[in-house]
Amino acid sequence: MDKVKILITGASGYIGARLFRDLSKKYLVSGTYYKSVTNDGLVRMDVSDIESVRKVLSQLQPDFVVHNAAFPVSPQNDEQKTIVEDVNFLGTDNIVKVANEIGAKIVFISSAVALNKNDFYGQSKAYGESVCQSAKAGSLIVRPHTVFGFSPNMLNDRSYNRLLKNIYLKTPAVYDTSWKFEPTYIGHLSDVTQQYVEGKVDCKEINVAFDVLKSKYDIGKDVLGHFGIDVLPTDDKSSRPTIKLELDDFISLNLPIKNYDEMISVMVEETRAIGDSYPIDR
């Protein structure tokens, strides 16, 4: 039987690169990038240009499109807001339109921030969820919280990669205590996607996180302590709301890593395995 074909948009980013690595172990996986390339064989695609999307998807004919490409934070100025409008709003429209043309199913990598109606990035993710749920062949909304764990893209400015800098560059470790969130292990995004591809997930959306509230200081201390690095707390007086996710569907999947402590152990193992492959001169 022919292998399932999966296309990952934004496959050079922090989450996308991990999805690409994990899913390539079992499926025929292709990926797109826009600016930076982290894997050989990625195809350049501009999600805001429907003809660019149509050209790539028509050529590759994936069975599933894992739509991960996005401007990943709340915009801080008008230029960034325009990027969010082009990539997160219009880009998702284009992906769904062309996926419908070729009969592909969609996995949309959303965010817990989609539940915060006062956040423009959150609004873009909520919009993307709504659009992807209209995919004719079917779709799954994967909604993580703040994501931690190893990715082949070790340079993207994400929380886990900042921990790597602390370890390998021996930079001061100072993390915020004021904002609490339910952490997500990056490998679970691949696991849940695989469950959907294999027909083992029948819900329309699934929240992916652990049922425990932690701060970046908590996680920094729990990881960096294994590498002999002290972590100092700071109170950023964050006004970001604490978002609690409904996790029953996720817990029912009974994935290998079942709790926060196991996530920390796996992250420590992943970090030790990087060794001399860390991509910045020390």
Side-chain angles (χ1 to χ4, degrees), residues 189-228:
L189 303 181
S190 304
D191 293 338
V192 171
T193 298
Q194 179 174 324
Q195 295 281 328
Y196 179 64
V197 168
E198 296 182 356
K200 298 176 182 178
V201 172
D202 58 6
C203 50
K204 294 183 177 180
E205 62 184 47
I206 187 164
N207 298 317
V208 180
F210 293 112
D211 188 15
V212 58
L213 290 176
K214 296 290 181 177
S215 67
K216 291 187 177 180
Y217 168 75
D218 296 327
I219 296 176
K221 178 169 57 67
D222 290 343
V223 173
L224 296 178
H226 291 270
F227 298 90

Side-chain angles (χ1 to χ4, degrees), residues 96-97 100 106 128-139 141:
V96 173
K97 286 178 183 176
N100 284 342
I106 292 179
E129 291 184 4
S130 175
V131 172
C132 288
Q133 285 172 344
S134 70
K136 294 178 181 178
S139 65
I141 309 303

Side-chain angles (χ1 to χ4, degrees), residues 15-234:
I15 290 175
R18 176 64 183 252
L19 288 166
F20 188 94
R21 189 200 73 164
D22 291 349
L23 297 175
S24 293
K25 297 174 182 177
K26 189 165 186 178
Y27 310 109
L28 291 177
V29 177
S30 53
T32 72
Y33 74 97
Y34 179 62
K35 286 187 177 180
S36 60
V37 180
T38 56
N39 301 309
D40 293 336
L42 297 186
V43 178
R44 189 179 186 279
M45 184 176 76
D46 179 358
V47 295
S48 69
D49 178 355
I50 194 167
E51 292 308 320
S52 176
V53 175
R54 185 170 283 121
K55 177 181 178 182
V56 171
L57 269 66
S58 297
Q59 177 182 353
L60 296 175
Q61 290 290 314
D63 303 298
F64 293 83
V65 176
V66 181
H67 183 36
N68 172 69
F71 189 81
V73 295
S74 299
Q76 301 300 308
N77 52 52
D78 289 342
E79 180 181 2
Q80 290 184 354
K81 185 175 182 181
T82 298
I83 296 173
V84 172
E85 291 170 343
D86 289 344
V87 176
N88 298 19
F89 286 91
L90 177 60
T92 304
D93 277 335
N94 291 339
I95 290 293
V96 173
K97 286 178 183 176
V98 179
N100 284 342
E101 292 172 5
I102 66 171
K105 295 182 179 181
I106 292 179
V107 176
F108 180 61
I109 306 300
S110 186
S111 168
V113 187
L115 303 178
N116 181 2
K117 297 180 180 180
N118 295 319
D119 185 284
F120 190 67
Y121 168 68
Q123 293 169 20
S124 76
K125 283 298 188 179
Y127 177 82
E129 291 184 4
S130 175
V131 172
C132 288
Q133 285 172 344
S134 70
K136 294 178 181 178
S139 65
L140 174 69
I141 309 303
V142 179
R143 189 185 292 140
H145 214 306
T146 305
V147 181
F148 287 85
F150 169 77
S151 166
N153 183 339
M154 291 180 269
L155 298 179
N156 193 296
D157 186 27
R158 290 298 188 98
S159 297
Y160 172 77
N161 289 347
R162 294 171 197 163
L163 298 179
L164 290 185
K165 285 187 177 182
N166 291 135
I167 295 168
Y168 289 101
L169 302 185
K170 302 186 187 305
T171 52
V174 181
Y175 288 102
D176 174 52
T177 61
S178 64
W179 181 53
K180 300 282 189 177
F181 54 86
E182 295 175 322
T184 297
Y185 173 59
I186 192 171
H188 278 153
L189 303 181
S190 304
D191 293 338
V192 171
T193 298
Q194 179 174 324
Q195 295 281 328
Y196 179 64
V197 168
E198 296 182 356
K200 298 176 182 178
V201 172
D202 58 6
C203 50
K204 294 183 177 180
E205 62 184 47
I206 187 164
N207 298 317
V208 180
F210 293 112
D211 188 15
V212 58
L213 290 176
K214 296 290 181 177
S215 67
K216 291 187 177 180
Y217 168 75
D218 296 327
I219 296 176
K221 178 169 57 67
D222 290 343
V223 173
L224 296 178
H226 291 270
F227 298 90
I229 296 179
D230 293 330
V231 182
L232 298 177
T234 185

